[in-house]
Structures are given as structure tokens and as C-alpha cells.
């Protein structure tokens, strides 16, 4: 194992450039540890984002040697072949500075996809019980553990080409709500999902599924949305 890592870090805005740093190699070091070491020991002006360090908050995504990753759970030993790391901001979102991107457009897709639970009961109503073996609940459960990291959004080339596309994370969220029997917002949600920029813009190449750090499969969720939207259209519940 090389004693020192050669680390290229993106500095500046979208017109910035990579700058090279030397960082001591440590056992069990993560990519986020490397970025933090540079900020604490070499350049305090380096901007980047993290919170939990344990794979829960979804704020530490960066491009590492050409691939979007959650950096707090990515060990250097797995990605730094030859002792070299290239770390940049994630793609498909505007760079604010260095490794920090503006997530506004990403969260706007969640709003646009009606990714907010719409209650069908009041606070006074008894709590609905959805049995664990319920098929819709199982479909929702399989997609629910999203940490909003935008790794899939950065990996999706439809997002890159089509600014109207809602993207894998927002559509995956919509799928969980569509399968939530307590939710009352599905007519409105399905109309958006079936429209331009919705599920039919996905070409199912599975880059989102391949990169999702928590093992979700947005492609499968989007395939479910396509089936559900088509059924709603055939029943006359939504327009063409
Ligand atoms: S499968 Fe669909 S959502 Fe996933 S990366 Fe490909 S185009 Fe994007
Ligand atoms: S689906 Fe996976 S990659 Fe996409 S935002 Fe959620 S956790 Fe991140
Ligand atoms: S810092 Fe929270 S997921 Fe990486």
C-alpha cells in the first residue's frame, strides 16, 4: 500500500479545475476522510457537504474516479487503484463551489412528482393497519429506504439530456406512495407521472439501480409506474 495518496480535487465553480494534493494513507480510510483531511490540514477553504458519516443523511455524494458514490461509506482501498483518487462534484446539478452542488433542482423533482404523503384520514381516525404480507405494502417497502443522496440522479443520462425529466429518485418515491393504501393523492400523482418528463421518459438502462448505494432499484419502481399509468389511462382515470 502506498504511504501517500495522490488526490485530485475539483476546486471552484463549473469553470473550475482539478488541483492535486498529497494525503497520508490510513487503514480503513474513506473517501470522505480524505476530503476532510485536505480541508483540515491543507486548505480550510475547501467546500464540501456531509453530516452523518454513517450512510444515513445522503449529503456526502461526490464523483469518485468517474463514478457517483456516497463518500462516507466508500473505502479508499476499494476505489484508489494505483494510489490515485479524482474527486469532483456530482453531475447533473450546478456546482456551487468545489465539491458542493446546488440540490434545488433535485428536490424540486420530488415536489413535482407529488412525493409528499397525502393523508386519507384525519388525526382522530384510528391508525390504519396494513398487514406485512400485503402486496402493495411489500412493493412500497422494497423502495422506501431512499436517503435522498442524488447518486442515481447524477448517474442518469436521461436527466442529463431532458431537463423536464423527474428522474429516478422522485419517481421511486412516487412509486412508494402509489402503493401506500393510506395515501389519497394518487389521481394527481399519476397524471404527473404519465405526462412529459414522467415515467415514460425512462429508457430502463438501470444506471440508477447500478449506482444506488443502498441497493434500491428505481428502474423497477419506474417500470411499475409505467404499468400503473397505462392501466389508469385504459380505465379513463387519466388523459392521454
Ligand atoms: S433506468 Fe431510467 S431512471 Fe434509471 S438511470 Fe436509466 S433512464 Fe435514468
Ligand atoms: S434511490 Fe438510491 S441513489 Fe437514488 S437518491 Fe435514493 S438512495 Fe440515493
Ligand atoms: S455523510 Fe451522511 S450519508 Fe454520507
Amino acid at each position: 500500500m502506498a504511504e501517500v495518496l495522490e488526490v485530485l480535487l475539483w476546486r471552484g465553480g463549473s469553470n473550475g479545475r482539478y488541483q492535486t494534493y498529497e494525503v497520508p494513507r490510513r487503514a480503513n480510510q474513506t473517501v470522505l476522510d480524505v476530503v476532510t483531511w485536505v480541508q483540515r490540514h491543507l486548505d480550510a477553504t475547501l467546500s464540501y457537504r456531509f453530516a452523518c458519516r454513517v450512510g444515513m443523511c445522503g449529503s456526502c455524494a461526490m464523483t469518485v474516479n468517474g463514478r457517483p458514490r456516497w463518500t462516507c461509506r466508500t473505502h479508499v482501498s476499494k476505489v484508489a487503484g494505483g494510489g490515485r483518487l479524482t474527486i469532483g462534484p456530482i453531475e447533473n446539478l450546478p456546482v456551487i463551489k468545489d465539491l458542493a452542488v446546488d440540490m434545488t433542482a433535485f428536490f424540486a423533482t420530488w415536489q413535482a412528482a407529488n412525493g409528499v404523503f397525502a393523508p386519507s384520514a384525519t388525526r382522530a381516525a384510528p391508525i390504519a393497519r396494513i398487514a406485512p404480507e400485503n402486496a402493495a405494502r411489500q412493493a412500497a417497502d422494497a423502495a422506501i429506504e431512499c436517503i435522498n443522496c442524488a447518486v442515481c440522479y447524477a448517474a442518469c443520462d436521461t436527466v442529463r439530456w431532458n431537463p423536464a425529466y423527474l428522474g429516478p429518485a422522485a419517481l421511486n418515491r412516487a412509486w412508494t406512495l402509489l402503493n401506500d393504501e393510506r395515501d389519497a393523492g394518487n389521481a394527481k400523482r399519476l397524471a404527473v407521472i404519465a405526462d412529459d418528463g414522467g415515467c415514460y421518459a425512462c429508457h430502463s438502462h438501470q444506471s440508477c439501480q447500478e449506482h444506488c448505494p443502498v441497493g434500491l432499484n428505481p428502474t423497477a419502481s419506474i417500470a411499475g409506474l409505467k404499468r400503473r399509468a397505462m392501466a389508469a389511462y385504459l380505465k379513463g382515470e387519466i388523459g392521454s
Side-chain angles (χ1 to χ4, degrees), residues 32 49-61 69-73 147 149 213:
L32 184 61
R49 202 182 271 130
F50 74 95
C52 72
R53 286 178 169 268
V54 290
M56 293 188 69
C57 72
S59 65
C60 67
R69 293 181 181 275
W70 55 355
T71 54
C72 71
R73 299 289 298 271
I147 59 170
C149 65

Side-chain angles (χ1 to χ4, degrees), residues 157-222:
D157 56 6
T158 305
V159 168
R160 184 183 312 254
W161 300 328
N162 180 356
Y165 182 43
L166 294 170
L171 290 171
N172 181 73
R173 169 65 179 163
W175 174 245
T176 64
L177 290 170
L178 213 63
N179 284 291
D180 189 332
E181 294 182 1
R182 304 161 306 164
D183 184 278
N186 279 335
K188 200 171 152 203
R189 194 171 292 123
L190 267 173
V192 173
I193 286 160
D195 206 349
D196 289 346
C199 60
Y200 295 112
C202 167
H203 54 73
S204 308
H205 75 316
Q206 294 207 299
S207 189
C208 50
Q209 177 266 332
E210 187 190 329
H211 290 82
C212 176
V214 294
L216 300 186
N217 188 346
T219 319
S221 299
I222 295 166

Side-chain angles (χ1 to χ4, degrees), residues 42-227:
L42 299 179
D43 188 348
T45 69
L46 176 65
S47 300
Y48 65 111
R49 202 182 271 130
F50 74 95
C52 72
R53 286 178 169 268
V54 290
M56 293 188 69
C57 72
S59 65
C60 67
M62 300 172 203
T63 306
V64 182
N65 286 1
R67 184 184 165 120
R69 293 181 181 275
W70 55 355
T71 54
C72 71
R73 299 289 298 271
T74 300
H75 280 95
V76 169
S77 56
K78 285 207 176 145
V79 290
R84 198 164 200 256
L85 274 180
T86 302
I87 307 171
I90 52 170
E91 305 219 351
N92 296 341
L93 288 165
V95 181
I96 299 172
K97 178 177 171 287
D98 303 336
L99 305 170
V101 295
D102 182 349
M103 303 284 285
T104 306
F106 175 69
F107 290 117
T109 64
W110 287 59
Q111 297 278 345
N114 289 289
V116 179
F117 178 69
S120 58
T122 67
R123 281 165 190 262
I127 295 171
R129 181 181 180 277
I130 312 284
E133 58 273 19
N134 176 289
R137 174 177 171 165
Q138 288 182 357
D141 285 352
I144 200 71
E145 297 291 348
C146 175
I147 59 170
N148 308 352
C149 65
V151 163
C152 56
Y153 193 83
C156 175
D157 56 6
T158 305
V159 168
R160 184 183 312 254
W161 300 328
N162 180 356
Y165 182 43
L166 294 170
L171 290 171
N172 181 73
R173 169 65 179 163
W175 174 245
T176 64
L177 290 170
L178 213 63
N179 284 291
D180 189 332
E181 294 182 1
R182 304 161 306 164
D183 184 278
N186 279 335
K188 200 171 152 203
R189 194 171 292 123
L190 267 173
V192 173
I193 286 160
D195 206 349
D196 289 346
C199 60
Y200 295 112
C202 167
H203 54 73
S204 308
H205 75 316
Q206 294 207 299
S207 189
C208 50
Q209 177 266 332
E210 187 190 329
H211 290 82
C212 176
V214 294
L216 300 186
N217 188 346
T219 319
S221 299
I222 295 166
L225 290 176
K226 289 175 181 173
R227 290 192 297 273

